[in-house]
Amino acid sequence: MLAPTKLSLSGERFSVVYHIVGNHEEVMRKAEDICVEQTIEFPADLVPDDDIRSSIIGRIEEVEACDNNTFRVRISYAVEIVQGELTQFLNVIFGNISLKPGIRVQDLHLPEALLRDYRGPRFGISGVRSLVGVSDRPLLCTAIKPMGLSVAELSRQTYEFALGGVDIIKDDHGLTDQSFAPYRERVSRCVESVQKANQQSGRVSLYAPNVTAPGDQLFERAYFAKQAGAGALLVSPGIVGFDRMQALADDDRIALPLLYHPTFLGSFVTSPLNGISHRVIFGLIGRLAGADIVIFPNFGGRFSFSREECLSIAQAACEPMAHLRPIFPAPAGGMKIERIAEMIETYGNDVILLIGGDLHRHPQGLQKASQLFRESVLQGRRYSWQSDYLAQMIQQ
């Protein structure tokens, strides 16, 4: 047995709500295992009745049945065990136990004592609105694509989208530094295209290049984008790491809004029995890591997220969280112009509507498609490419 340990701790604790599968006896055994596995990872019977046992080891605070085979268990941890490090925070809430079945992180309860160690989003909803000069409507977003196009063609798309009134034009997340569209050339040309369109329209559109890259290139690409005049950055924390996204957000030499792309994170949320809930990984952790905009698959698109799961992300993006700014939810994933009214009704005004491939379907081109996208948002009405085009043909 260890000798008794005396610690000087604040007494402040944060909580993780787990959904644990099993009968009551099995769940209690799993919960007690979580308390130890996520903290000391040491035989609990070798720890004396000291401060490690009373404060460091996780503490079961609540147990409540959800259904016949799942229980809601809230476990608290001392804030000192994460010490302001996002990497350690993630390790504590779902480290070794991610390797065990039937455990899902459902929610987080984070006190100000923990949140004060995080700067959070630099811009948030109000800051992004200020950059584009829009205060009273949802923002419009699209992506340049598909992979394989030349820099000239991608920059042409950027120009037409911006001239048509799209607020944020981002790289598709599959565009990196390929030979057919090299990163530096693409960023420089797309920035020039947006600036040209902005001068002509009198509006402000932002171009967000994808900076997701190997570790030694991530910041190099971000600094280049900033110097070239990019208005925001797209990053995939599931690939580069949430702490790297946090470092981008905190870097005063960059100081650009961050769009959080969900690629590589799907397996965390697709099972109701394991992983991390939509609200936690996209909403709450996204804000801790400094995202200003969180992109996620909207319900009814080409992915499997439900309406309730999407709303849980939007709520977590905007709910009070000490000094951390609320951020924009950006539902996407096969969205069509016809669904604009439904999406505004679902998410309200503080949303970014991300429509990609559907804008390419308009027979009169991207600028016209963007103009109609903008008009549909301003009027909050349903739109159909086919019916609009046919009406114009009849009038002619």
Side-chain angles (χ1 to χ4, degrees):
M1 175 156 316
L2 297 174
T5 300
K6 182 70 175 175
L7 299 169
S8 178
L9 302 176
S10 66
E12 295 277 2
R13 303 180 72 83
F14 68 96
S15 297
V16 182
V17 175
Y18 299 97
H19 279 187
I20 304 176
V21 176
N23 59 40
H24 187 270
E25 181 180 350
E26 292 169 334
V27 166
M28 291 306 297
R29 186 165 58 249
K30 288 182 179 181
E32 290 169 359
D33 177 59
I34 291 171
C35 290
V36 174
E37 190 69 49
Q38 294 307 105
T39 55
I40 63 171
E41 195 185 356
F42 185 82
D45 60 334
L46 297 183
V47 179
D49 188 13
D50 65 355
D51 286 352
I52 292 179
R53 178 173 291 277
S54 64
S55 299
I56 298 297
I57 294 176
R59 183 186 302 161
I60 299 172
E61 304 287 0
E62 297 177 31
V63 179
E64 177 184 357
C66 297
D67 55 40
N68 291 334
N69 202 46
T70 305
F71 285 75
R72 176 187 180 275
V73 181
R74 184 169 67 87
I75 296 176
S76 71
Y77 303 97
V79 296
E80 285 84 359
I81 71 172
V82 299
Q83 205 63 44
E85 297 178 357
L86 183 59
T87 48
Q88 172 63 357
F89 175 76
L90 297 175
N91 184 41
V92 169
I93 68 170
F94 199 55
N96 279 0
I97 59 167
S98 68
L99 303 170
K100 300 186 177 187
I103 302 172
R104 179 178 171 89
V105 175
Q106 196 66 22
D107 207 354
L108 301 173
H109 297 273
L110 308 178
E112 188 172 352
L114 183 144
L115 293 175
R116 65 180 173 225
D117 290 327
Y118 298 84
R119 184 172 182 173
R122 180 182 288 266
F123 293 88
I125 291 174
S126 61
V128 173
R129 284 194 177 281
S130 179
L131 288 176
V132 297
V134 174
S135 61
D136 57 354
R137 62 164 172 82
L139 300 189
L140 287 62
C141 183
T142 193
I144 54 174
K145 58 173 65 181
M147 184 192 300
L149 293 181
S150 67
V151 166
E153 179 59 24
L154 293 171
S155 63
R156 181 194 65 79
Q157 287 188 14
T158 306
Y159 172 73
E160 292 192 24
F161 283 138
L163 197 61
V166 177
D167 300 300
I168 301 172
I169 302 109
K170 72 175 188 68
D171 277 352
D172 186 66
H173 75 280
L175 294 175
T176 57
D177 192 28
Q178 293 100 340
S179 60
F180 43 78
Y183 177 80
R184 289 186 172 227
E185 182 185 357
R186 183 179 77 250
V187 172
S188 297
R189 293 281 297 277
C190 288
V191 166
E192 290 173 1
S193 293
V194 166
Q195 291 174 344
K196 178 182 176 182
N198 287 346
Q199 290 173 354
Q200 291 178 291
S201 69
R203 295 186 295 264
V204 176
S205 294
L206 306 178
Y207 165 60
N210 177 33
V211 297
T212 304
D216 61 342
Q217 299 176 43
L218 173 64
F219 279 83
E220 176 186 328
R221 293 190 191 179
Y223 293 142
F224 179 82
K226 173 71 173 184
Q227 293 164 4
L233 302 175
L234 177 72
V235 62
S236 302
I239 294 174
V240 303
F242 282 98
D243 68 308
R244 294 298 81 199
M245 183 166 75
Q246 180 188 33
L248 288 172
D250 289 350
D251 193 326
D252 293 334
R253 294 168 292 179
I254 297 172
L256 291 173
L258 299 185
L259 286 74
Y260 164 178
H261 195 283
T263 186
F264 209 70
L265 294 173
S267 59
F268 281 103
V269 299
T270 49
S271 168
L273 306 181
N274 304 287
I276 301 177
S277 73
H278 301 70
R279 111 178 216 98
V280 169
I281 199 163
F282 296 122
L284 301 181
I285 293 176
R287 286 171 75 183
L288 281 179
D292 299 286
I293 299 164
V294 57
I295 300 169
F296 59 91
N298 194 34
F299 63 94
R302 66 179 191 269
F303 298 94
S304 62
F305 286 24
S306 70
R307 184 177 188 276
E308 292 70 27
E309 290 163 347
C310 291
L311 285 173
S312 75
I313 298 169
Q315 179 186 10
C318 300
E319 67 188 30
M321 204 171 172
H323 64 281
L324 272 65
R325 295 176 174 86
I327 66 175
F328 270 115
M335 288 300 95
K336 297 183 181 300
I337 199 78
E338 290 92 339
R339 296 191 61 192
I340 283 175
E342 175 196 15
M343 293 168 71
I344 295 174
E345 182 179 354
T346 299
Y347 296 104
N349 246 16
D350 284 333
V351 65
I352 292 180
L353 304 176
L354 203 172
I355 299 180
D358 197 48
L359 297 186
H360 292 261
R361 295 183 184 277
H362 197 279
Q364 292 176 285
L366 298 181
Q367 182 179 341
K368 178 63 174 177
S370 301
Q371 289 169 347
L372 294 177
F373 183 13
R374 183 181 179 88
E375 290 171 13
S376 296
V377 171
L378 289 171
Q379 299 173 20
R381 64 188 175 94
R382 298 185 183 278
Y383 227 108
S384 166
W385 289 155
Q386 292 78 10
S387 62
D388 176 67
Y389 185 59
L390 286 173
Q392 291 185 45
M393 293 299 99
I394 292 170
Q395 288 174 5
Q396 293 176 3

